[in-house]
């Protein structure tokens, strides 16, 4: 996956987290739903401007990266489906957002290693922390809002990190 694709996907999911959080918790407004779209659009524009920076991928590397992303995303989706169903069946549906944040966080270490994107280790730790902390928020609406807005911010910060560190030329020693 290239820089623009990574920022597009993470930015879109950040906007989705934000919009779900404010909508489901009853705090939705045009401004609160427009802000995440604007932030994501600005990040995508920045990624498009940076896409010429960096070296082209070696032959076969794009396919390897695509398979890695496909496998980790499929595992993530399956785990989310299982968690949502288990939580619904045990009457704990209001813990869905924390569980999803933890699962999304767990999908980043294989990407960090396989894509050589060390910023994803921080993303993983932060998302797992957000999900775990969310489990201790007693009020369901506050839990949903806190987890969703925090997860969105983590993903936007990751986009910023990817933009800052991708294609940075290393000085010879």
């Amino acid at each position: 996956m290239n820089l623009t694709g990574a920022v597009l996907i993470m930015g879109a999911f950040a906007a989705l987290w934000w919009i779900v959080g404010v909508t489901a918790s009853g705090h939705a407004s045009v401004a609160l739903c427009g802000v995440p779209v604007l932030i994501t659009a600005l990040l995508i524009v920045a990624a498009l401007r940076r896409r010429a920076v960096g070296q082209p991928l070696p032959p076969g590397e794009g396919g390897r990266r695509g398979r890695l992303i496909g496998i980790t995303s499929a595992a993530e989706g399956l785990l989310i489906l299982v968690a949502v169903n288990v939580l619904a069946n045990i009457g704990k549906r209001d813990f869905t957002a924390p569980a999803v944040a933890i699962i999304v966080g767990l999908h980043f270490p294989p990407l960090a290693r396989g894509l050589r994107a060390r910023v994803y280790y921080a993303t993983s730790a932060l998302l797992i922390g957000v999900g775990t902390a969310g489990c201790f928020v007693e009020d369901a609406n506050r839990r949903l809002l806190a987890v969703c807005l925090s997860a969105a911010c983590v993903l936007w910060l990751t986009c910023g990190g990817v933009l800052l560190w991708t294609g940075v030329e290393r000085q010879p020693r």
Side-chain angles (χ1 to χ4, degrees), residues 20-168:
V20 165
V22 298
T23 302
S25 67
H27 294 88
S29 69
V30 173
L32 280 177
C33 290
V35 167
V37 174
L38 178 63
I39 293 169
T40 296
L42 291 171
L43 287 166
I44 292 168
V45 167
L48 288 168
R49 294 184 68 162
R50 292 277 322 265
R51 72 178 172 183
V53 177
Q55 302 295 324
L57 294 176
E61 182 64 12
R64 183 193 69 79
R65 288 180 178 204
R67 284 187 298 281
L68 173 65
I69 293 166
I71 291 167
T72 58
S73 297
E76 173 191 35
L78 181 62
L79 285 173
I80 289 171
L81 181 65
V82 169
V84 167
N85 282 305
V86 167
L87 289 169
N89 286 326
I90 65 171
K92 298 290 185 182
R93 187 179 303 239
D94 56 320
F95 284 88
T96 299
V100 172
I102 291 167
I103 293 166
V104 172
L106 290 171
H107 117 284
F108 274 97
L111 295 176
R113 183 173 176 260
L115 302 177
R116 292 182 286 283
R118 291 175 26 186
V119 69
Y120 290 168
Y121 288 118
T123 304
S124 175
L126 289 170
L127 285 171
I128 292 168
V130 162
T132 302
C135 291
F136 295 99
V137 176
E138 289 187 31
D139 181 72
N141 277 340
R142 287 185 180 174
R143 177 184 315 117
L144 177 65
L145 188 62
V147 170
C148 289
L149 298 188
S150 298
C153 291
V154 167
L155 292 175
W156 282 323
L157 286 171
T158 302
C159 289
V162 167
L163 286 169
L164 284 173
W165 293 303
T166 300
V168 173

